Amino acid sequence: MRCFLPATFYLLPTMKTSHENPNAQANAMDQYYRFQSKIYDMTRWSFLFGRDEVIKAIPIERNAKVRILEIGCGTGYNTKLLAQTFPNAEIRAYEVSEDMVSLSRKKLLPFGSRVEIVHKPYGVEPEAQLESYDAILFSYSLTMINPQWEDLIRQAHKDLKPGGYIAVVDFHNSRHEWFKKHMGNNHVRMDGHLVPLLKELFVPIVEQVQKAYLATWEYITFVGKKSD
Ligand SMILES: C[S@@+](CC[C@H](N)C(=O)[O-])C[C@H]1O[C@@H](n2cnc3c(N)ncnc32)[C@H](O)[C@@H]1O
């Protein structure tokens, strides 16, 4: 179990939460990450747990020629790990914050045209082709996409090939109302709301709820398969 909230955690400022319109939600993220992007990689290792593990848990053969999509790639931390783990994969990642897009494009330069970062909210414009991805990763993005998270999970289901995998790592819940409020003020909804829909749409392969910092919060790791 993780102990002691690091000082960096309190660098999360206080802001507003739910945005009905996808463009308003994207604009709120763009603003929020203007400062946060600068300290992101320095601080997030201390509370965004399970990111490396969820990528390792995707049951795709390492050298396979596959197409992988990531939603909300941030600084490209996971995108880089995806590109290294699946060296023949073509990877596309959506991101709405301009500062995050710059950082991730810089980080992913060594992978050339194999990795593409798209500066748009996911799901607003359709992909060129439905059912075209072998895996879709959401790492700590769904709990920030409010209230559109449900539409995005359903969209991912449509964009996955039959037999494809969704991989999700994210905040799950907290027994402390003060903590949920703090996270709400930072755009994060923490209500255990993701798992029921994930289980309704996908066959679970990995489903774990783990505790962080003396159970201040729980986070989920979910890998699910779209039916063939
Ligand atoms: C907590 S960060 C996680 C970043 C990265 N996935 C990671 O695990 O480090 C959430 C990211 O999702 C992005 N995001 C939020 N809403 C989005 C949307 N509708 N479409 C694409 N990206 C979005 C944010 O700008 C932010 O970079």
Side-chain angles (χ1 to χ4, degrees), residues 5-226:
L5 279 175
T8 51
F9 189 85
Y10 298 100
L11 285 169
L12 293 171
T14 295
M15 285 182 146
K16 260 215 79 40
T17 183
S18 171
H19 305 277
E20 293 296 329
N21 162 343
N23 290 326
Q25 187 269 339
N27 290 340
M29 295 292 114
D30 186 60
Q31 262 193 343
Y32 182 72
Y33 282 108
R34 256 175 224 162
F35 168 69
Q36 293 292 324
S37 60
K38 297 181 188 6
I39 57 163
Y40 195 89
D41 282 343
M42 259 182 313
T43 54
R44 267 39 178 199
W45 61 269
S46 63
F47 55 94
L48 299 188
F49 301 127
R51 291 184 296 171
D52 296 14
E53 291 78 4
V54 78
I55 290 174
K56 287 190 197 124
I58 299 172
I60 288 180
E61 203 267 303
R62 294 314 184 226
N63 288 312
K65 286 196 171 199
V66 285
R67 295 191 75 218
I68 300 178
L69 181 66
E70 184 185 1
I71 311 305
C73 68
T75 60
Y77 175 89
N78 306 296
T79 330
K80 181 177 173 189
L81 193 56
L82 282 170
Q84 290 168 333
T85 307
F86 300 101
N88 295 314
E90 195 186 301
I91 298 166
R92 186 172 160 89
Y94 280 86
E95 174 51 56
V96 289
S97 147
E98 193 176 342
D99 294 276
M100 292 300 217
V101 167
S102 306
L103 289 170
S104 55
R105 284 192 177 146
K106 203 165 156 197
K107 194 174 281 169
L108 275 309
L109 260 183
F111 299 94
S113 60
R114 192 158 76 80
V115 177
E116 182 193 11
I117 311 289
V118 182
H119 185 193
K120 276 185 195 155
Y122 174 59
V124 172
E125 286 170 27
E127 289 295 298
Q129 211 188 329
L130 287 178
E131 302 199 329
S132 59
Y133 292 99
D134 298 276
I136 301 184
L137 171 68
F138 290 90
S139 166
Y140 287 97
S141 49
L142 281 170
T143 52
M144 292 192 91
I145 304 180
N146 298 308
Q148 298 89 0
W149 61 272
E150 179 170 348
D151 297 341
L152 267 64
I153 295 176
R154 291 190 187 280
Q155 187 62 48
H157 187 265
K158 289 182 191 156
D159 287 336
L160 275 174
K161 291 178 185 171
Y165 298 99
I166 188 167
V168 177
V169 61
D170 214 322
F171 296 110
H172 179 57
N173 216 333
S174 171
R175 59 197 166 128
H176 303 295
E177 283 308 315
W178 65 267
F179 186 74
K180 287 163 77 143
K181 193 159 177 255
H182 171 69
M183 295 305 280
N185 287 336
N186 288 282
H187 302 277
V188 175
R189 179 174 169 203
M190 212 187 234
D191 275 329
H193 55 295
L194 302 177
V195 174
L197 183 62
L198 290 169
K199 284 172 74 169
E200 183 190 316
L201 296 179
F202 301 95
V203 180
I205 289 171
V206 177
E207 189 191 343
Q208 274 180 351
V209 177
Q210 285 167 280
K211 295 182 192 332
Y213 293 112
L214 298 173
T216 303
W217 73 85
E218 295 167 329
Y219 63 98
I220 47 153
T221 307
F222 182 92
V223 178
K225 186 172 181 177
K226 175 173 169 175

